[in-house]
Amino acid sequence: MIRLALVAFILSTATAGATPAVPASAMPDDVLGTWGRDEAACTDPASDGRMKVERRSVQMFDATCTFDRIRIIADGIFEGRGPCVAARGGRRYRGGVSLMGLGDRMMVRFPDRRESPTYHRCAQALPVR
């Protein structure tokens, strides 16, 4: 619990200018794949609680963000920034996501939200809907 609180603190206080930028292709292999908000999201094809992390993008239920670059916030914590396209209507906006791998779990922080949900690695790679 203390580790998750520390992670949330790091994610919420990290500044973009104080961390090194690396090419988007530097996204580490251990965060790539399909992740679900809970076990049901990983096994129910109708669930909208999945996201897919690829080398240069994150696909979520409501948008896909393509990374221009990523920043290393701390060991194991990466922030991807770049243009996002809303799934409905195709509206483009600047966005990003911070990812912190915790083995088979990953904490995710979106800049416009206060919460930092934890996703679980899905054994089955169902499509994001």
Side-chain angles (χ1 to χ4, degrees), residues 46-115:
S47 174
D48 61 8
R50 282 185 300 281
M51 75 175 180
K52 184 175 183 180
V53 179
E54 296 181 322
R55 185 82 50 204
R56 299 185 56 93
S57 65
V58 171
Q59 180 184 5
M60 299 161 279
F61 168 69
D62 57 349
T64 296
C65 297
T66 304
F67 303 137
D68 296 329
R69 69 182 193 290
I70 64 170
R71 290 195 178 278
I72 301 170
I73 304 299
D75 188 27
I77 304 174
F78 300 86
E79 177 187 64
R81 301 291 296 171
C84 298
V85 178
R88 289 178 174 56
R91 182 178 64 88
R92 294 180 62 83
Y93 59 94
R94 293 297 296 173
V97 62
S98 296
L99 307 172
M100 180 188 175
L102 301 166
D104 65 343
R105 293 175 296 164
M106 179 170 47
M107 185 176 286
V108 180
R109 180 176 176 274
F110 303 98
D112 59 339
R113 300 180 192 157
R114 294 191 68 155
E115 65 185 36

Side-chain angles (χ1 to χ4, degrees), residues 34-38 41-43 50 104 120-126:
T34 303
W35 299 81
R37 294 280 304 249
D38 52 35
C42 288
T43 58
R50 282 185 300 281
D104 65 343
H120 303 271
R121 183 176 295 282
C122 294
Q124 190 177 4
L126 291 175

